[in-house]
Amino acid sequence: MKMTLGERVRAATAALMHLTGESQADLAAALGISQTQISRRQSGNAAWSLSDCEALAAHYGIDVLDLLAGPARARDTLAPHRHRTAAVAAQGTPR
């Protein structure tokens, strides 16, 4: 079954949050909205607007069309240094 545009945006957002290790609270702070608003959008109780999608894409450093294409394209276009494993590796091992 084909995903709707809203489902693709929600799935892409979830994939990007997982890949970067961001929580809903982290994403909300970055976008200047509440965690509750992120939760409502991710659960499908509210829609991601076009301006939200532009802000999400800018936050993750990807093209908005890659976000709208769905989780696989969004993950593939996220810069490697934004991946959670890269961030952990950059911190080094604790001494």
Side-chain angles (χ1 to χ4, degrees):
M1 177 178 227
K2 191 172 182 177
M3 294 173 80
T4 67
L5 181 58
E7 290 168 337
R8 285 195 309 264
V9 172
R10 287 193 302 275
T13 302
L16 292 167
M17 288 172 58
H18 177 75
L19 193 56
T20 60
E22 287 184 322
S23 66
Q24 287 185 352
D26 296 330
L27 184 57
L31 299 181
I33 60 178
S34 71
Q35 182 275 326
T36 302
Q37 289 174 302
I38 297 290
S39 179
R40 289 181 45 75
R41 287 173 174 95
Q42 283 302 97
S43 67
N45 291 322
W48 288 102
S49 70
L50 289 177
S51 59
D52 291 334
C53 291
E54 288 175 333
L56 276 168
H59 171 68
Y60 288 112
I62 65 173
D63 190 277
V64 70
L65 294 176
D66 294 324
L67 177 73
L68 297 176
R73 174 90 60 84
R75 280 191 310 262
D76 290 348
T77 57
L78 183 69
H81 74 274
R82 293 290 309 270
H83 294 211
R84 171 182 36 210
T85 54
V88 171
Q91 292 174 357
T93 55
R95 296 178 194 247

